[in-house]
């Protein structure tokens, strides 16, 4: 007998961003696995057990949750934001691909959540209003030269770029290095939106430009959106500016 595994996105923070589907999935779970701080956002229901683990434990957490479900329980694994964006959904798929044959028969489902780049974008207008991409600056799972190659390609091709995992205590300089890399392709006045802890009580969102962006403090709770050449800032009296990328784009001049 196998149970079920559901991989649930909690959204960026405030419970108002938790979808009704995610709430249902959490209600139905007997066991909930996740990174400690994310798990703290989930109220413990009666007959439910929580299994917190460390940030870098994604592979082991996925395997533990799968084993638990295969033994017959209804298990949930949570991620902040969306579980498919630099998070647990891929870790679960990897574990199933590499695990015992029996794991492939498990009933597994994925419940989407509002990812950080959409939460930050919504605070300020529409910086992702035209073609965009998302790049994680963490080099825990890929070499840094590959990050730079992708930044070069994305900026050169005219995408607005959402930068996840811009810095951490172990990687204090990577946000600044990424900004320097983008400056080779984009004008100094390119708008940059920096959102920290969006959807949480200590939320902060600021608008700056590419030439000043490396001075902004970025940490693990920060997401930056670097505009394209087309991205515009609309000043408004007495209100924060609107940052948006128009729906139409011209050919890139070489
Ligand atoms: N699955 C998550 C992303 C995990 S990677 C999602 O879909 O949002 C972790 C990175 O996400 C952080 O380093 C930060 O860049 C971003 N992030 C997550 N929550 C955030 C929030 N509330 N405000 C700003 N950035 C956030």
């Amino acid at each position: 007998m196998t149970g079920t595994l559901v991989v649930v996105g909690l959204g960026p923070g405030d419970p108002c961003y938790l979808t009704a589907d995610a709430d249902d999935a959490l209600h139905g779970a007997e066991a909930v696995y996740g990174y400690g701080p994310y798990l703290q956002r989930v109220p413990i229901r009666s007959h439910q057990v929580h299994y917190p683990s460390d940030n870098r434990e994604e592979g082991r957490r996925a395997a533990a949750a799968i084993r638990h479900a295969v033994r017959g329980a209804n298990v949930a694994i949570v991620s902040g934001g969306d579980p498919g964006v630099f998070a647990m959904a891929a870790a679960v798929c990897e574990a199933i691909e590499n695990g015992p044959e029996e794991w492939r028969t498990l009933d597994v489902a994925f419940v989407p959540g509002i990812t950080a780049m959409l939460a930050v974008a919504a605070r300020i207008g529409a910086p992702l209003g035209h073609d965009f991409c998302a790049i994680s600056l963490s080099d825990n799972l890929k070499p840094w030269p590959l990050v730079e190659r992708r930044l070069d390609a994305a900026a050169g091709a005219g995408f607005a770029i959402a930068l996840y995992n811009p810095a951490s205590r172990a990687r204090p300089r990577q946000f600044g290095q990424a900004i320097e890399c983008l400056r080779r392709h984009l004008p100094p006045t390119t708008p940059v939106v920096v959102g920290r802890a969006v959807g949480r009580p200590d939320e902060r969102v600021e608008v700056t430009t590419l030439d000043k962006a490396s001075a902004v403090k970025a940490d693990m709770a920060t997401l930056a959106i670097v505009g394209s050449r087309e991205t515009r800032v609309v000043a408004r009296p007495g209100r924060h500016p609107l940052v948006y990328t128009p729906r139409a784009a011209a050919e890139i001049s070489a």
Side-chain angles (χ1 to χ4, degrees), residues 12 80-82 85-87 115-116 164-166 195 197-198 200 220-223:
D82 182 272
V85 179
F86 307 124
T115 187
Y164 283 77
N165 295 308
V198 169
R200 302 180 204 156
M220 293 234 304
T222 305
L223 179 124

Side-chain angles (χ1 to χ4, degrees), residues 11-14 38 41 58 79-88 113-120 136 163-167 171 194-200 203-204 219-224:
D14 192 284
Y38 292 149
R41 288 199 222 151
E58 289 181 339
S79 277
D82 182 272
V85 179
F86 307 124
M88 286 311 300
I114 296 174
T115 187
M117 68 179 173
L118 300 185
V120 171
S136 168
L163 297 175
Y164 283 77
N165 295 308
R171 304 181 290 106
V194 183
R196 188 179 180 282
V198 169
R200 302 180 204 156
E203 165 176 324
R204 204 183 63 219
D219 64 10
M220 293 234 304
T222 305
L223 179 124

Side-chain angles (χ1 to χ4, degrees), residues 75-153:
V75 177
I77 299 195
V78 296
S79 277
D82 182 272
V85 179
F86 307 124
M88 286 311 300
V92 166
C93 294
E94 277 170 34
I96 290 174
E97 181 174 20
N98 299 321
E101 197 59 30
E102 179 197 14
W103 288 10
R104 298 191 181 211
T105 64
L106 181 66
D107 180 2
V108 59
F110 305 88
V111 176
I114 296 174
T115 187
M117 68 179 173
L118 300 185
V120 171
R123 286 289 186 267
I124 199 75
L128 306 176
H130 191 72
D131 296 345
F132 66 89
C133 67
I135 298 177
S136 168
L137 296 188
S138 170
D139 61 355
N140 290 336
L141 297 169
K142 64 187 167 191
W144 180 256
L146 179 61
V147 176
E148 291 210 341
R149 195 141 64 82
R150 288 182 176 168
L151 291 168
D152 287 339

